[in-house]
Amino acid sequence: MINPLVDATLLEDRMLLHGPDGVVELPLAYQVHSRLIQTGELARLLAEHLREKAGPALPAAGSQVRLALPLNWGLVCLRLPHAGLGELAQPLHQVAWEIDNNAPEAVEQYYFDFHEAAGNEGAETLIMAVRQSLVHFCRTLLDELGLVLADVVPAGESGAGFRLELARAQAHLEALSLEHYTPVTPWRRFFVLGGVGVILAAAGILFTLNRPAPEQQVRIPTPPSAMTDSLRAALQPTTADSLPAGRAPATPPAAGPALAAWTTLLGELTAGEERLPDFLVLDAAGALVRVKRRGEVNLRDVLTRPARATRVGRGGYWLQLDEPLNGGLLAEDPTRPVLRLTLAHLVELAPRLREAPARLILQRRRADGSGQSTRWHFGAQDTQGAATGWLVTVFPARPGGRGGAR
């Protein structure tokens, strides 16, 4: 027989037991402080005091407990306006990426769980993450009381719908370590492997035919001054007059034509930064935007270059550039880590790029009044809180690798 699920709330100075006859309030012998919350010794002291004071009010031994905790104890609640993460090839890596980009600590420090729910505009995904040290503290407290921690939920109406099922969270951590990055999708693998084989064979033949003698030195030619001058001009995409007041134009590092083209594109986005949506993905062929109320028109105006928009799912648009950036798409290099940057303004991005990326993800950061949960906003009409900068994820490109047309 499965024991019933009991609801309880743990606060800084008391524990609440919710039952059919009402709420039983049990004061704690010690104040739960954020710097002491990770200690098992404190959990055992609290349990000893609660056993003495609660008596028969405690649930039956072995009862499963759904424990509510204050949001300001470091609970991370993310609401993603789309569903279907479970259908992805690597759903747990996607969830871990969301947490890693929004939590104050690395995702390895958390238990996490996710569920789909019905939102205002369709299905959405609710992700909840709790520090492992806090979960261990709560589990020790309940174990000492003869109870079993089953779920963790946020206390209060603002956390409604979020929950962390401990059994699922432990399974997620184990499954996450078994997921492996697949650099290409299955339908492309045959063509990619065949192409790589042909390229390697041709490279071997060319190397054999053109290998220099031991005493011969190979010198990389210096580009002519005209080319150098044109690149230098291309690396100055904006002027002080085209930028918002109080900002200086970016001075990107000198590099090849592909990075110069990216720098020019970023210059256009910087000039219209205030009109950008809160979330967009950029590559050399265009931009994927999640906005509402035809916000893709605004981005097309900001880009100031020919592009056509195609609707993608609910609230999403793909803006395909009529002319891809110099060199076209670059293949992503899965052997190199992504780079995550926190910027006050987009003007800071171009100088940080040392090479042309395969893809960029731009997410506007906004101040949350509660400071406890993060909600993504995709349209200027739906934003809440003042903008505090950008979170940028840079996916490195394979040197010389072309991704082909999209």
Side-chain angles (χ1 to χ4, degrees):
M1 178 178 178
I2 300 177
N3 292 323
L5 192 63
V6 177
D7 286 306
T9 301
L10 182 62
L11 303 176
E12 288 83 355
D13 57 351
R14 61 193 185 278
M15 186 174 186
L16 306 178
L17 300 177
H18 307 272
D21 299 328
V23 179
V24 177
E25 183 173 324
L26 303 174
L28 300 180
Y30 304 94
Q31 184 86 11
V32 179
H33 193 279
S34 60
R35 285 177 295 180
L36 300 176
I37 204 169
Q38 300 178 8
T39 63
E41 291 78 6
L42 177 60
R44 296 184 182 92
L45 289 173
L46 293 176
E48 181 180 355
H49 174 78
L50 288 173
R51 279 197 306 268
E52 295 176 356
K53 299 298 181 182
L58 283 176
S63 295
Q64 304 279 321
V65 176
R66 178 168 49 214
L67 187 62
L69 302 176
L71 281 169
N72 60 11
W73 283 9
L75 276 61
V76 177
C77 298
L78 306 176
R79 189 184 303 272
L80 306 185
H82 55 79
L85 287 183
E87 301 174 3
L88 299 177
Q90 302 177 96
L92 298 180
H93 267 82
Q94 178 66 30
V95 174
W97 182 88
E98 308 287 1
I99 297 171
D100 204 30
N101 279 272
N102 292 279
E105 298 178 13
V107 67
E108 291 79 11
Q109 302 297 320
Y110 292 88
Y111 283 110
F112 63 86
D113 197 5
F114 65 98
H115 300 85
E116 292 186 1
N120 296 331
E121 299 185 5
E124 59 185 10
T125 301
L126 305 181
I127 299 176
M128 181 174 175
V130 184
R131 287 186 178 92
Q132 294 186 19
S133 57
L134 176 55
V135 172
H136 295 158
F137 169 84
C138 296
R139 184 155 49 185
T140 301
L141 173 63
L142 294 180
D143 285 347
E144 292 293 320
L145 295 175
L147 307 175
V148 178
L149 178 63
D151 298 348
V152 177
V153 297
E157 296 182 359
S158 59
F162 291 94
R163 71 182 186 278
L164 182 144
E165 299 179 22
L166 193 56
R168 279 172 50 93
Q170 291 174 329
H172 290 336
L173 290 181
E174 297 173 1
L176 179 62
S177 63
L178 300 178
E179 285 188 352
H180 298 285
Y181 183 86
T182 304
V184 292
T185 52
W187 66 272
R188 291 183 180 176
R189 187 171 296 142
F190 174 80
F191 300 101
V192 172
L193 292 178
V196 169
V198 173
I199 293 173
L200 291 177
I205 295 173
L206 290 176
F207 178 79
T208 302
L209 296 177
N210 298 287
R211 182 168 53 187
E215 68 277 8
Q216 183 178 358
Q217 294 183 350
V218 179
R219 182 176 61 87
I220 299 176
T222 303
S225 59
M227 181 181 296
T228 305
D229 294 340
S230 64
L231 287 180
R232 186 179 296 110
L235 290 173
Q236 301 294 335
T238 57
T239 63
D241 294 335
S242 64
L243 291 173
R247 301 186 201 168
T251 306
L259 180 56
W262 270 97
T263 303
T264 302
L265 176 63
L266 293 176
E268 297 176 13
L269 298 181
T270 299
E273 181 174 350
E274 287 75 12
R275 293 181 289 157
L276 292 178
D278 277 16
F279 184 90
L280 62 155
V281 182
L282 290 171
D283 62 24
L288 178 65
V289 188
R290 292 193 61 90
V291 292
K292 300 176 183 178
R293 301 183 182 93
R294 296 193 58 79
E296 84 285 357
V297 176
N298 294 334
L299 180 60
R300 189 160 49 187
D301 294 340
V302 170
L303 287 177
T304 65
R305 61 180 64 203
R308 54 187 183 276
T310 304
R311 191 174 184 90
V312 180
R314 180 187 294 272
Y317 292 90
W318 166 247
L319 262 66
Q320 182 172 351
L321 302 178
D322 289 354
E323 294 185 7
L325 299 186
N326 189 291
L329 287 174
L330 296 176
E332 184 179 334
D333 188 349
T335 65
R336 301 163 61 192
V338 300
L339 177 64
R340 295 188 177 94
L341 306 174
T342 301
L343 309 176
H345 301 286
L346 280 185
V347 71
E348 304 170 14
L349 177 55
R352 304 282 291 273
L353 298 179
R354 301 301 173 187
E355 59 183 356
R359 189 185 323 120
L360 295 178
I361 297 181
L362 308 181
Q363 178 186 344
R364 197 188 302 269
R365 301 168 60 242
R366 292 192 177 274
D368 190 335
S370 66
Q372 309 305 331
S373 63
T374 301
R375 184 181 180 93
W376 288 25
H377 306 283
F378 298 107
Q381 310 91 328
D382 307 295
T383 56
Q384 300 176 5
T388 59
W390 294 87
L391 182 65
V392 180
T393 304
V394 183
F395 292 83
R398 185 180 292 115
R402 299 298 175 190
R406 181 180 291 274

